[in-house]
Amino acid sequence: MTSSAAPGDAPGQRPGTGLRADAERNRDRILAAARHLFATEGLGVSLSAVARAAGVGKATLARRFPTRDDLVNAVFADRMDAYAAAVTTALDDPDPWHGFTGYVHAICAMQAADRGFADVLTMTFPAARALEARRAEAYNGAVELIARAKATGHLREDFTDRDLPLLLMANAGVVNATGDAAPDAWRRLVAHLIRSYAAPGAPIPPLPDAPPPAALHRAMVRLTRRTN
């Protein structure tokens, strides 16, 4: 008697992995497809689209990643590590204000480099425990960084840790709206925001040039097409 198997699920044990070789290849294809689609289209992409791009069935994807949170956790684990490391780097800066401004720029650059990660930093995924643990670690470090920057007299006293999510939401909005039409627009937004956080007399970064009118027009046309 013969047994049937779904495509991509044929027997073949890879020593020491606990996954059959073909199943592990499927997992790698799913992660690569999800990473690409999340980065270019954001987290709103359907799991069916991920499965198609990976060349596997929806059932195969569900076996590897039972929930969207499981997939998000696997795709963005390394980026969340970098996110947590950014605040550690900032805390190591002997100038807390410089560390703070560098941190803000670093995390916004991470968003600009990956639309999916731009969304991840403005959302929560309760089932993705490892990802949320790294987020909590980064948050605790940011609270300490804010206190140190205030102690220098350069960060406004009315700035709070709750302003960081607002910053990330604003930057994610610009990143998602402008895309490749005006890919550096976020830099000017972040520079304006840092200036608004600075107390009188604080050193502030230079203000990048505004996007050219034609680039902003392309971004607005692009956004209009996405909403229609």
Side-chain angles (χ1 to χ4, degrees), residues 175 177-185 211-223:
V175 168
T178 55
D180 56 4
D184 290 328
L216 281 180
H217 178 71
R218 287 196 301 272
M220 289 187 288
V221 169
R222 175 180 176 276
L223 187 59

Short mmCIF file of all heavy atoms in Angstrom, two decimals, residues 175 177-185 211-223:
data_model
loop_
_atom_site.label_atom_id
_atom_site.label_comp_id
_atom_site.label_asym_id
_atom_site.label_seq_id
_atom_site.Cartn_x
_atom_site.Cartn_y
_atom_site.Cartn_z
N VAL A 175 6.76 56.85 5.25
CA VAL A 175 7.44 55.78 4.51
C VAL A 175 6.46 55.06 3.59
O VAL A 175 6.75 54.81 2.41
CB VAL A 175 8.11 54.80 5.48
CG1 VAL A 175 8.56 53.53 4.76
CG2 VAL A 175 9.30 55.46 6.17
N ALA A 177 3.55 56.11 2.49
CA ALA A 177 2.92 56.98 1.49
C ALA A 177 3.87 57.33 0.36
O ALA A 177 3.46 57.39 -0.81
CB ALA A 177 2.41 58.26 2.17
N THR A 178 5.14 57.57 0.68
CA THR A 178 6.06 58.05 -0.35
C THR A 178 6.72 56.93 -1.13
O THR A 178 6.98 57.06 -2.33
CB THR A 178 7.16 58.93 0.27
OG1 THR A 178 7.83 58.20 1.31
CG2 THR A 178 6.55 60.20 0.87
N GLY A 179 7.01 55.81 -0.47
CA GLY A 179 7.61 54.67 -1.17
C GLY A 179 8.85 55.07 -1.93
O GLY A 179 9.66 55.88 -1.46
N ASP A 180 9.00 54.53 -3.14
CA ASP A 180 10.19 54.84 -3.93
C ASP A 180 10.03 56.13 -4.73
O ASP A 180 10.96 56.55 -5.44
CB ASP A 180 10.53 53.68 -4.87
CG ASP A 180 9.37 53.31 -5.80
OD1 ASP A 180 8.33 54.01 -5.75
OD2 ASP A 180 9.50 52.33 -6.55
N ALA A 181 8.88 56.80 -4.61
CA ALA A 181 8.69 58.07 -5.30
C ALA A 181 9.51 59.18 -4.64
O ALA A 181 10.07 60.04 -5.32
CB ALA A 181 7.21 58.45 -5.32
N ALA A 182 9.55 59.17 -3.32
CA ALA A 182 10.34 60.15 -2.56
C ALA A 182 10.95 59.42 -1.37
O ALA A 182 10.57 59.64 -0.22
CB ALA A 182 9.47 61.32 -2.12
N PRO A 183 11.92 58.52 -1.62
CA PRO A 183 12.39 57.60 -0.58
C PRO A 183 13.11 58.26 0.59
O PRO A 183 13.26 57.64 1.64
CB PRO A 183 13.34 56.67 -1.35
CG PRO A 183 13.77 57.47 -2.54
CD PRO A 183 12.59 58.30 -2.91
N ASP A 184 13.56 59.50 0.43
CA ASP A 184 14.27 60.17 1.52
C ASP A 184 13.40 61.18 2.26
O ASP A 184 13.90 61.92 3.11
CB ASP A 184 15.52 60.87 0.98
CG ASP A 184 16.59 59.88 0.54
OD1 ASP A 184 16.67 58.80 1.15
OD2 ASP A 184 17.33 60.19 -0.41
N ALA A 185 12.12 61.22 1.95
CA ALA A 185 11.24 62.21 2.59
C ALA A 185 11.22 62.04 4.11
O ALA A 185 11.09 63.02 4.86
CB ALA A 185 9.83 62.10 2.01
N PRO A 211 11.73 67.14 -0.35
CA PRO A 211 11.67 66.41 -1.62
C PRO A 211 11.30 67.35 -2.77
O PRO A 211 10.54 68.31 -2.57
CB PRO A 211 10.55 65.39 -1.38
CG PRO A 211 10.44 65.28 0.10
CD PRO A 211 10.79 66.62 0.65
N PRO A 212 11.81 67.12 -3.95
CA PRO A 212 11.43 67.94 -5.11
C PRO A 212 9.93 67.86 -5.36
O PRO A 212 9.30 66.84 -5.07
CB PRO A 212 12.22 67.31 -6.26
CG PRO A 212 13.33 66.55 -5.61
CD PRO A 212 12.79 66.08 -4.29
N PRO A 213 9.34 68.93 -5.89
CA PRO A 213 7.89 68.91 -6.15
C PRO A 213 7.45 67.72 -7.00
O PRO A 213 6.40 67.12 -6.73
CB PRO A 213 7.65 70.25 -6.88
CG PRO A 213 8.75 71.14 -6.40
CD PRO A 213 9.94 70.23 -6.21
N ALA A 214 8.24 67.37 -8.00
CA ALA A 214 7.86 66.25 -8.87
C ALA A 214 7.82 64.94 -8.10
O ALA A 214 6.94 64.09 -8.34
CB ALA A 214 8.83 66.14 -10.04
N ALA A 215 8.75 64.76 -7.15
CA ALA A 215 8.78 63.53 -6.35
C ALA A 215 7.56 63.46 -5.44
O ALA A 215 6.94 62.40 -5.29
CB ALA A 215 10.06 63.47 -5.53
N LEU A 216 7.21 64.57 -4.83
CA LEU A 216 6.02 64.59 -3.97
C LEU A 216 4.76 64.33 -4.79
O LEU A 216 3.84 63.64 -4.32
CB LEU A 216 5.91 65.92 -3.25
CG LEU A 216 6.80 66.10 -2.02
CD1 LEU A 216 6.58 67.48 -1.40
CD2 LEU A 216 6.52 65.01 -0.98
N HIS A 217 4.71 64.87 -6.00
CA HIS A 217 3.55 64.62 -6.86
C HIS A 217 3.44 63.14 -7.18
O HIS A 217 2.34 62.56 -7.11
CB HIS A 217 3.67 65.44 -8.14
CG HIS A 217 2.55 65.19 -9.11
ND1 HIS A 217 1.27 65.65 -8.89
CD2 HIS A 217 2.51 64.50 -10.30
CE1 HIS A 217 0.50 65.28 -9.89
NE2 HIS A 217 1.21 64.57 -10.75
N ARG A 218 4.56 62.51 -7.50
CA ARG A 218 4.53 61.07 -7.79
C ARG A 218 4.07 60.28 -6.56
O ARG A 218 3.31 59.31 -6.68
CB ARG A 218 5.92 60.58 -8.21
CG ARG A 218 6.34 61.02 -9.60
CD ARG A 218 7.53 60.21 -10.10
NE ARG A 218 8.69 60.34 -9.22
CZ ARG A 218 9.60 61.30 -9.35
NH1 ARG A 218 9.48 62.22 -10.29
NH2 ARG A 218 10.65 61.34 -8.53
N ALA A 219 4.50 60.72 -5.38
CA ALA A 219 4.09 60.04 -4.15
C ALA A 219 2.59 60.17 -3.93
O ALA A 219 1.93 59.21 -3.54
CB ALA A 219 4.86 60.60 -2.97
N MET A 220 2.05 61.35 -4.20
CA MET A 220 0.61 61.56 -4.01
C MET A 220 -0.20 60.77 -5.02
O MET A 220 -1.25 60.20 -4.69
CB MET A 220 0.29 63.05 -4.07
CG MET A 220 0.79 63.82 -2.86
SD MET A 220 0.25 65.55 -2.78
CE MET A 220 1.25 66.26 -4.08
N VAL A 221 0.30 60.71 -6.26
CA VAL A 221 -0.38 59.90 -7.27
C VAL A 221 -0.35 58.43 -6.87
O VAL A 221 -1.37 57.72 -6.97
CB VAL A 221 0.29 60.10 -8.65
CG1 VAL A 221 -0.23 59.07 -9.65
CG2 VAL A 221 0.04 61.50 -9.16
N ARG A 222 0.79 57.99 -6.39
CA ARG A 222 0.95 56.59 -5.96
C ARG A 222 -0.02 56.28 -4.82
O ARG A 222 -0.67 55.23 -4.81
CB ARG A 222 2.39 56.37 -5.50
CG ARG A 222 2.71 55.03 -4.91
CD ARG A 222 4.19 54.99 -4.50
NE ARG A 222 4.54 53.75 -3.84
CZ ARG A 222 4.35 53.51 -2.56
NH1 ARG A 222 3.80 54.43 -1.78
NH2 ARG A 222 4.71 52.35 -2.03
N LEU A 223 -0.12 57.18 -3.86
CA LEU A 223 -1.01 56.97 -2.72
C LEU A 223 -2.47 56.95 -3.16
O LEU A 223 -3.27 56.14 -2.68
CB LEU A 223 -0.79 58.07 -1.67
CG LEU A 223 -1.52 57.91 -0.35
CD1 LEU A 223 -1.14 56.62 0.34
CD2 LEU A 223 -1.21 59.09 0.56
#
